[in-house]
Amino acid sequence: IAIILLFTVFFIYITYVRKDEVSYVENFKTNYFGVVYTNGIYTLKAKKMIENAQDGTYTATDVQFINGDTVLKSKSAIKQVSDDVNLTGDVTGENPKNGWLIKSQELNYFKELNRVNSNQPVEAYNSIKKLFVSGDYFESTTSFDEILLDRNVNTINDNFELIGEKAFYKQEILWQN
């Protein structure tokens, strides 16, 4: 009888009294390696991509973003549900067709506008025109055919050096004030 009583007390304790210290945590992240994502407008290549199922974003490392003739490279990127991409960490952008090379710590791509911008300082060099421009704000088409620089803008080529607050480059035309 003592053994039955002991098992009954133990069963009641286990079932109704004891607090479970084990909790279940659902993992909403999935890792992918050697990823190539294409949406018809651009291709995103990454060494590693982590999907966050809760908000639909993807975080990527060692990234190549390809849009037409332009290739953007960065250490990391976040692809939003809207297909906008935020590139960060030693970002370089190059379009060999028109000669532009862009460098920054951040570049944001907006799919609906097919444009990029950065609130971080940007340096841009055109190897064809031998033109160097830099500024604290950068906005451009993804092909770098139109470039707007704002705040602390420097423009340098073989013939002149200009310092101002804004510069606009459109294929052949450079305007600065």
Side-chain angles (χ1 to χ4, degrees), residues 103-104 118-124 132-138 148-154 164-165:
K103 293 183 180 181
S104 183
S118 179
N119 286 309
Q120 300 291 319
V122 173
E123 294 180 347
F132 172 84
V133 292
S134 65
D136 292 342
Y137 174 80
F138 172 84
L148 170 68
L149 289 155
D150 199 359
R151 301 188 306 268
N152 299 318
V153 176
N154 292 315
E165 286 302 307

Side-chain angles (χ1 to χ4, degrees), residues 22-170:
V22 177
S23 62
Y24 175 74
V25 177
E26 192 167 347
N27 185 0
F28 291 102
K29 296 187 178 188
T30 307
N31 293 326
Y32 302 96
F33 298 93
V35 176
V36 177
Y37 169 82
T38 303
N39 67 2
I41 297 172
Y42 67 80
T43 300
L44 189 66
K45 296 180 180 180
K47 190 174 187 178
K48 179 181 177 183
M49 192 175 277
I50 301 169
E51 176 186 14
N52 185 336
Q54 286 183 307
D55 61 10
T57 62
Y58 291 82
T59 304
T61 57
D62 294 328
V63 178
Q64 270 194 340
F65 173 95
I66 304 163
N67 184 318
D69 294 322
T70 303
V71 177
L72 306 175
K73 296 179 182 178
S74 70
K75 288 183 178 178
S76 63
I78 297 174
K79 187 191 90 56
Q80 306 293 335
V81 175
S82 62
D83 277 340
D84 293 348
V85 179
N86 309 93
L87 299 128
T88 56
D90 296 330
V91 180
T92 59
E94 186 173 14
N95 185 330
K97 188 174 179 181
N98 62 17
W100 281 106
L101 174 66
I102 311 294
K103 293 183 180 181
S104 183
Q105 286 301 310
E106 167 193 84
L107 211 55
N108 304 305
Y109 168 77
F110 299 96
K111 178 185 166 196
E112 290 297 318
L113 303 172
N114 202 30
R115 295 182 72 83
V116 292
N117 82 358
S118 179
N119 286 309
Q120 300 291 319
V122 173
E123 294 180 347
Y125 180 72
N126 188 301
S127 59
I128 297 169
K129 305 288 183 198
K130 307 289 189 237
L131 177 68
F132 172 84
V133 292
S134 65
D136 292 342
Y137 174 80
F138 172 84
E139 185 176 319
S140 176
T141 58
T142 54
S143 60
F144 305 138
D145 288 330
E146 295 179 10
I147 295 175
L148 170 68
L149 289 155
D150 199 359
R151 301 188 306 268
N152 299 318
V153 176
N154 292 315
T155 304
I156 303 168
N157 78 1
D158 293 338
N159 300 322
F160 62 85
E161 179 176 350
L162 297 172
I163 298 172
E165 286 302 307
K166 282 192 180 201
F168 183 71
Y169 176 88
K170 185 169 183 177

